Amino acid sequence: MLRIGMLTSGGDCQALNAAMRGVVKCIYNNAKDDVEFYGFEDGYKGLIYGKFRMLTGADFTGILTRGGTILGTSRVPFKTIREPDENGLDKVAAMKQNYYKLQLDCLVMLGGNGSTKTANLLSEEGLNVITLPKTIDNDLYGTDMTFGFQSAVEIATTAFDQIHTTASSHGRVFIVEIMGHKVGFLPLNAGMAGGADIILIPEIPYDINNVIDKIEERDARGSRFTIICVAEGAISKDDAKLSKKDYAKKLENYTFPSVSYEIADQIQKKTGREVRVTVPGHVQRGGQPCPYDRVFASRLGAEAGKMILKGEFGYMVSYKNREMTKVPLKDVAGKLKTVDPKSDIIKEAKMLGISFGD
Ligand code: F6P
């Protein structure tokens, strides 16, 4: 008998269900022994508090195209994982206990950066763990691609497509704020796909005067409108120079809902132009996975299934240089993948006339 536990952790994204279905299909089609799947509810919380259910083939039918996660998810911050909960429960000990109580052969964890750190900790504690790279941010170290990313790029791009028509009618400056946490892959790709004139990402701090220069250059050329893609984590050159402490102090007294509104305010004051801000927000994480993600997540699931059958644990399944591979969790945990300001895509975007405000 093979017993496999699964959980989805952190912010949800498209294709979580497709990935789990991939694992299950691969195992059902290739395992020689009987198999039992256990799904932990709401991420690591389910593993800590023993909230799980046995999953059957029926649970995985019809979920290739379904967004969200059939298991539910939550954020259990890694930085507090070693701290007892409000009732004094040792969370790590509880997770191990539930794993052993169910006599699991392995745990498959679908998650992003923080969740992978916890997975690595459990692996170091002796559990058999395999992770799948999930996040719309595509910021997981050790893989060129995460599932959810391409779906989010598609949704974010439609925001730019819609804004284009109204921006051109009114001749306004429009800011579209795109998710991505502290990295710029999603804003960069959605901004380029959506024809943004200016893209501000965390890896390339901006100077507001350069942003305004670009708007004025477009005005002088007779372009009636400017579309700016602002990453939710975009940062000005001045703020980037601040120490962590001083930046945190600035944020304490911050009166804008987000950086986009601060930028809008500065543009409005300095140019007198009408500026509008659109924040698609969690829409970017919702709905059906795009075809790319359905295929990619299914492949990742099949690779995870293959690894389980071979007894290879302690890895994240990854996609590097156009090949499916695996990387040790210890080499991934705690590291962030960011946009390289010197990468070809940035150089090409600049050659296309896109300003990064630098
Ligand atoms: O990591 C995915 C993500 O959507 C980020 O892009 C965003 O910063 C964050 O999660 C939002 O988190 P929450 O859903 O907890 O508000």
Side-chain angles (χ1 to χ4, degrees):
M1 173 68 75
L2 189 58
R3 289 193 178 83
I4 300 167
M6 281 201 289
L7 66 85
T8 53
S9 172
D12 75 338
C13 73
Q14 303 88 345
L16 278 162
N17 293 324
M20 288 192 277
R21 173 183 172 274
V23 177
V24 171
K25 273 194 162 262
C26 175
I27 297 285
Y28 276 154
N29 281 302
N30 298 285
K32 299 207 169 48
D33 301 326
D34 287 340
V35 194
E36 279 178 0
F37 284 98
Y38 294 88
F40 293 98
E41 291 166 10
D42 298 337
Y44 285 111
K45 273 189 190 166
L47 185 57
I48 296 169
Y49 299 107
K51 289 189 113 193
F52 61 85
R53 58 181 194 268
M54 198 195 259
L55 302 166
T56 67
D59 289 298
F60 297 95
T61 303
I63 66 165
L64 174 64
T65 59
R66 198 192 302 171
T69 159
I70 59 165
L71 296 181
T73 187
S74 67
R75 293 191 191 276
V76 178
F78 175 75
K79 61 176 183 227
T80 62
I81 204 79
R82 287 285 187 194
E83 292 168 15
D85 77 355
E86 56 280 13
N87 299 312
L89 181 80
D90 179 332
K91 289 178 270 195
V92 175
M95 287 194 277
K96 287 167 68 178
Q97 209 174 6
N98 284 319
Y99 176 97
Y100 290 123
K101 211 155 77 185
L102 281 171
Q103 297 181 320
L104 295 181
D105 293 291
C106 84
L107 175 72
V108 179
M109 193 290 296
L110 296 83
N113 270 313
S115 311
T116 304
K117 283 198 250 178
T118 302
N120 181 48
L121 182 152
L122 292 176
S123 171
E124 285 173 352
E125 290 280 328
L127 306 194
N128 292 333
V129 184
I130 293 175
T131 73
L132 297 181
K134 164 240 73 163
T135 168
I136 63 165
D137 304 336
N138 194 25
D139 61 351
L140 258 170
Y141 191 84
T143 185
D144 294 341
M145 185 59 67
T146 57
F147 65 88
F149 174 69
Q150 296 290 350
S151 302
V153 169
E154 284 200 12
I155 295 168
T157 301
T158 62
F160 288 98
D161 294 347
Q162 309 289 64
I163 288 297
H164 253 104
T165 56
T166 175
S168 62
S169 308
H170 287 270
R172 284 168 170 162
V173 173
F174 261 94
I175 292 177
V176 183
E177 182 175 294
I178 298 299
M179 275 185 167
H181 201 219
K182 290 182 179 157
V183 305
F185 291 107
L186 181 53
L188 173 62
N189 284 273
M192 282 184 79
D197 309 296
I198 301 168
I199 301 177
L200 306 180
I201 59 173
E203 294 88 341
I204 307 179
Y206 65 87
D207 180 331
I208 195 66
N209 295 312
N210 296 336
V211 173
I212 288 167
D213 283 351
K214 180 70 185 178
I215 296 170
E216 288 177 345
E217 178 197 308
R218 283 178 56 77
D219 280 354
R221 263 199 279 136
S223 307
R224 280 170 47 77
F225 65 93
T226 294
I227 295 187
I228 311 177
C229 171
V230 173
E232 63 178 352
I235 186 163
S236 69
K237 285 188 179 190
D238 287 343
D239 285 350
K241 280 186 209 141
L242 295 176
S243 66
K244 261 192 175 173
K245 207 169 133 203
D246 286 343
Y247 187 56
K249 212 183 278 168
K250 174 190 162 163
L251 293 183
E252 266 171 35
N253 304 312
Y254 202 61
T255 50
F256 298 103
S258 70
V259 64
S260 295
Y261 291 89
E262 182 184 1
I263 293 170
D265 185 62
Q266 289 171 322
I267 297 171
Q268 223 146 6
K269 283 192 179 130
K270 290 193 179 204
T271 67
R273 291 285 304 267
E274 251 191 307
V275 187
R276 292 287 186 272
V277 177
T278 296
V279 183
H282 288 74
V283 164
Q284 295 162 90
R285 256 171 41 189
Q288 292 192 321
C290 67
Y292 178 98
D293 273 337
R294 294 178 201 184
V295 175
F296 183 49
S298 300
R299 289 184 65 191
L300 290 168
E303 291 294 329
K306 228 163 73 180
M307 284 161 58
I308 294 169
L309 295 174
K310 283 197 210 158
E312 296 174 336
F313 302 113
Y315 294 99
M316 176 182 83
V317 187
S318 90
Y319 184 67
K320 291 278 288 172
N321 305 320
R322 300 179 179 219
E323 275 181 21
M324 298 305 256
T325 179
K326 58 183 192 297
V327 284
L329 285 173
K330 64 175 169 39
D331 294 348
V332 178
K335 294 186 193 159
L336 196 67
K337 184 180 72 188
T338 56
V339 175
D340 177 359
K342 295 197 181 84
S343 57
D344 286 347
I345 187 169
I346 298 290
K347 287 184 200 149
E348 288 145 6
K350 285 184 174 175
M351 289 180 79
L352 296 171
I354 295 171
S355 164
F356 287 86
D358 56 336

